[in-house]
Amino acid sequence: MLIERINRQEANKSKIEIDIAYLTGAIRDKKYDVPVMERLCILAENPSGLIIDQDFIFPDDDEMEIIYSMTIDYILKIRVYWFIVEISNMP
C-alpha cells in the first residue's frame, strides 16, 4: 500500500515548494475550441531553487492530482518523509 511505502522512507529535513505559473502564450490544440493558456506546475527544492519536476497543466487536468503525484513521486524517489510544501497559484 502507498501509505506504508511512504512511512518506510528515511526522514530528512528537505523543504520543497510547488508553484503553478501561467506562461506567456497560448497553445492551439484540436482538442480545445479556443487557444489554451499555458500553465506549468513546478516542484523545486528550497533554498537551492533546484527544479526537481515540472509538468504542463491543461484545462481538463486536475491540479491537485498533479501536485499530489509530484509530491509522492519525490518522497518515494528521494527518500524524504518530513517536508514542507508551499503551494501558490500565480494568476
Side-chain angles (χ1 to χ4, degrees):
M1 181 174 240
L2 181 60
I3 294 173
E4 291 172 1
R5 287 180 59 203
I6 290 172
N7 287 332
R8 284 193 302 254
Q9 298 303 314
E10 184 179 320
N12 71 28
K13 301 239 182 201
S14 292
K15 295 180 182 178
I16 58 174
E17 294 181 9
I18 296 179
D19 191 11
I20 297 175
Y22 284 85
L23 307 176
T24 56
I27 298 173
R28 292 187 184 271
D29 191 326
K30 295 176 185 175
K31 194 177 356 178
Y32 306 105
D33 295 335
V34 296
V36 177
M37 293 298 295
E38 297 175 315
R39 293 184 302 156
L40 185 64
C41 185
I42 301 170
L43 176 81
E45 261 188 339
N46 181 346
S48 70
L50 176 69
I51 295 177
I52 298 165
D53 199 358
Q54 61 186 358
D55 200 0
F56 278 106
I57 300 175
F58 294 97
D60 50 351
D61 289 340
D62 181 357
E63 292 175 0
M64 292 310 295
E65 185 177 318
I66 290 171
I67 290 170
Y68 291 144
S69 175
M70 286 178 140
T71 305
I72 290 169
D73 221 26
Y74 177 76
I75 292 169
L76 294 177
K77 287 183 181 176
I78 308 298
R79 298 183 177 269
V80 174
Y81 179 74
W82 184 88
F83 58 92
I84 296 174
V85 178
E86 179 181 310
I87 301 171
S88 61
N89 192 350
M90 297 172 53

